[in-house]
Amino acid sequence: MEEQTASPHPETLEQPTPALLSDIFSFVEYIYATFGWYILGFIVLSLYLWSKIQPSYEAWRKKREEDEYAAQIHKNPDLFRARQEAIIAARQRMQEEHDRQAKIKAERAQELEEQKREEWIARQTGTGGRRLGNEPSKSCEAVPGPSKKKDSSFKPEYNPLMGAGSSSGYRPPKRGCPGGGCGKK
């Protein structure tokens, strides 16, 4: 007969859920199934009441903090002086930072204005840029580029933005009174 040896491994590799966890899960499921609507109603009511009570609670908490601070200042006036000096120093730092940024911005604006002024002067004297309709400067003629030959397939007075011609243009009818009445009796 065959001799059976005891294997150190279990028959199945699945571990059963501990009884305590399955009992807790079953209990929570039972509570939700039985009292779910009551729990939902309680949550909605609590949120509504909190929205009504919160402003007065915040005011009460702020007043209490101010009273505690006033009591500390009454006991130790140096605390008030130190806090005021810290506030003044912070304001001074913020003002210095603002002044520094304003100075940088003003310098940039002045540089931009100077650049615009120089460009305007250059355009007025004709040294900078090129105006449409003016003859090209000698420096532009020397630059090799595509040749400018006219396309002879169009009439010389043809302008594509003017439309196809004088005879083909849709004009909507005049706006009259609907139904043709307009106060006639």
Side-chain angles (χ1 to χ4, degrees), residues 85-100:
E85 288 173 358
I87 290 173
I88 290 171
R91 286 180 182 161
Q92 184 66 28
R93 283 191 307 270
M94 290 171 56
Q95 185 65 42
E96 289 171 357
E97 178 67 21
H98 180 267
D99 291 344
R100 186 180 61 81

Side-chain angles (χ1 to χ4, degrees), residues 15 17 31 35 37 60 65 75 83 85 91 93-94 103 113 121 127 131 137 144 153 155 160 171 181 183-184:
Q15 289 187 342
T17 305
I31 294 295
F35 303 108
W37 286 110
W60 171 79
E65 288 175 359
K75 290 180 183 177
R83 184 170 181 182
E85 288 173 358
R91 286 180 182 161
R93 283 191 307 270
M94 290 171 56
K103 185 177 178 182
E113 185 65 31
I121 291 171
T127 58
R131 286 188 179 180
S137 64
S153 64
K155 297 178 185 176
R171 292 185 183 224
K184 294 179 183 177

Side-chain angles (χ1 to χ4, degrees), residues 123-142:
R123 279 193 308 250
Q124 294 301 319
T125 58
T127 58
R130 180 174 163 248
R131 286 188 179 180
L132 292 176
N134 288 352
E135 294 181 12
S137 64
K138 294 177 184 176
S139 63
C140 291
E141 291 175 1

